Amino acid sequence: MLKTASDEARIIFPGQLIGSVTVCALLGIDRSTLVRRVQRGDIVPLAQLDGATGAYVFDRFDFPEAQR
């Protein structure tokens, strides 16, 4: 998923939500790499949970690798 933040409304079902661990496994990267790519804007999370180190939440359908 490269910069898929869209202004279009979409319906997200709970089964579509994945966390950082799953995204890292799909992309074959470390969590630190994922965080850097999110901070650069290369990967756009669906949301970030509250807190100083809030976890990122992603939509499974933003990652073609997850469709297998």
Side-chain angles (χ1 to χ4, degrees), residues 5-51:
S6 167
D7 290 336
E8 295 179 26
R10 58 184 174 170
I11 297 173
I12 306 293
F13 295 100
Q16 289 176 236
L17 301 177
I18 56 176
S20 298
V21 171
T22 304
V23 172
C24 289
L26 289 169
L27 299 178
I29 59 175
D30 291 330
R31 189 177 187 300
S32 60
T33 302
L34 176 64
V35 171
R36 279 193 307 274
R37 291 178 70 182
V38 167
Q39 290 172 341
R40 276 196 322 244
D42 295 338
I43 297 177
V44 180
L46 189 59
Q48 183 175 14
L49 302 180
D50 290 337

